Amino acid sequence: MTERWQEIADRLYIRRHQSANLTIGLVLGDDHCLVVDTRASHRHAAELIRAIREVTPTPWTVVNTHAHWDHCFGNAPFAPAEIWGHVLAVKDLDETGELQRSNVLAFLPEERHEEIREVAIVPPTHTFADRATLDIGGREVHLRYFGRGHTDHDIVVHVPDVATAFVGDLIEEVPYFGDSFPLDWPVTLHRMLQDLDADTFVPGHGVAVTRQFVERQQADLASLAEYADYAYRSSGLRAVSMIDAAFPEDAQRMAFERAFQQLDGQLS
Ligand SMILES: [Zn+2]
């Protein structure tokens, strides 16, 4: 994968990365820019900053779509800057930042450990609960929270003048359910689809997708939630609980585990 900017709408760029298949966003205003997510380490962020500087010399505002390490461990090198995120993203990073670091160290090869150890975990400096509007060099950008899904604090960055939205990991080729709220997720996406005037959606990993793709994933997540609820009530099914091929088996298993925890009232 060649890691270069791709202008997918007027002055709206994405940059895809080999590492974690991560997708970063860049929105240009007249004398300011917006960076959506910061990659997974200071080294990754430094590389990203060099790439941003090839496109624009203007100061930046940063957004974290959510508090997972691969999206925000690169925050520190962007300072001093306004870093926007959901109010619960700050709480999550406070509570799980070091845990995330040790989990990452457990699966990354030895040669990348120093890179992860040196990360200063920096939470968002500016937060909101429901919505916020940013002025990015004369260009309006809306930050929205539609409810729990992939985490309890995923936000959407909507650029209305080009009908495009950065959706973080609310949309993924294969959704990650480890911190998810499977019963809320389809409801959240439904709200987003109803509310947002957008026809292009940029996920946190992979290529930009269409509204049809988002609708399909919403429907798949709705089936999953419905089936989890049914399985929960028919206790004999709880051990099996595989439905169809919409998601890989291990993803489904994790989704059911989280859905059952929700139904047990363990995740509030
Ligand atoms: Zn991610």
Side-chain angles (χ1 to χ4, degrees):
M1 186 185 304
T2 45
E3 302 184 337
R4 57 185 170 73
W5 295 108
Q6 188 190 351
E7 189 174 10
I8 62 165
D10 178 35
R11 292 167 301 146
L12 186 149
Y13 296 78
I14 64 171
R15 188 170 190 259
R16 296 184 55 206
H17 301 83
Q18 189 95 51
S19 182
N21 193 23
L22 192 77
T23 303
I24 295 291
L26 177 65
V27 182
L28 304 187
D30 287 338
D31 51 10
H32 205 87
C33 66
L34 180 71
V35 181
V36 182
D37 286 339
T38 60
R39 304 193 67 194
S41 68
H42 293 193
R43 292 176 203 183
H44 279 181
E47 191 275 337
L48 175 61
I49 286 170
R50 281 193 296 276
I52 293 169
R53 285 302 177 230
E54 285 168 17
V55 178
T56 178
T58 61
W60 50 58
T61 293
V62 172
V63 174
N64 291 150
T65 57
H66 61 291
H68 280 165
W69 69 286
D70 47 330
H71 301 263
C72 69
F73 272 20
N75 279 357
F78 283 86
E82 282 187 14
I83 302 175
W84 282 83
H86 193 262
V87 62
L88 291 177
V90 175
K91 180 169 178 277
D92 188 87
L93 206 54
D94 277 351
E95 289 173 1
T96 73
E98 288 305 329
L99 181 67
Q100 290 192 55
R101 190 204 303 272
S102 45
N103 289 343
V104 172
L105 287 172
F107 77 78
L108 279 188
E110 189 76 34
E111 61 264 26
R112 288 196 60 196
H113 283 195
E114 187 47 41
E115 177 189 344
I116 298 301
R117 283 205 190 90
E118 75 186 7
V119 169
I121 298 175
V122 173
T125 57
H126 291 63
T127 62
F128 69 99
D130 181 48
R131 63 175 77 205
T133 299
L134 306 180
D135 175 357
I136 303 299
R139 200 168 185 186
E140 208 169 274
V141 175
H142 299 150
L143 307 183
R144 302 291 302 274
Y145 177 70
F146 293 107
R148 303 192 296 187
H150 158 263
T151 67
D152 63 3
H153 59 265
D154 308 277
I155 63 170
V156 172
V157 181
H158 182 217
V159 188
D161 65 38
V162 286
T164 298
F166 296 95
V167 294
D169 292 358
L170 279 172
I171 293 293
E172 274 191 278
E173 264 165 67
V174 177
Y176 173 72
F177 290 98
D179 295 323
S180 72
F181 295 82
L183 304 182
D184 300 283
W185 199 336
V187 182
T188 297
L189 288 182
H190 180 72
R191 270 190 213 125
M192 178 183 88
L193 282 164
Q194 283 210 311
D195 230 55
L196 278 197
D197 181 13
D199 47 38
T200 301
F201 296 81
V202 181
H205 305 265
V207 297
V209 298
T210 61
R211 177 168 276 267
Q212 285 75 9
F213 183 99
V214 177
E215 284 167 352
R216 196 160 52 240
Q217 189 145 88
Q218 192 277 338
D220 288 341
L221 287 165
S223 304
L224 190 76
E226 203 177 307
Y227 193 82
D229 188 62
Y230 170 69
Y232 182 83
R233 281 163 220 298
S234 336
S235 51
L237 283 172
R238 290 187 60 169
V240 207
S241 10
M242 291 299 127
I243 34 170
D244 56 42
F247 304 112
E249 203 175 302
D250 52 343
Q252 284 190 43
R253 194 167 289 122
M254 197 179 272
F256 276 105
E257 208 174 288
R258 291 285 294 185
F260 293 154
Q261 286 171 16
Q262 278 201 272
L263 290 160
D264 277 337
Q266 290 172 33
L267 307 175
S268 48

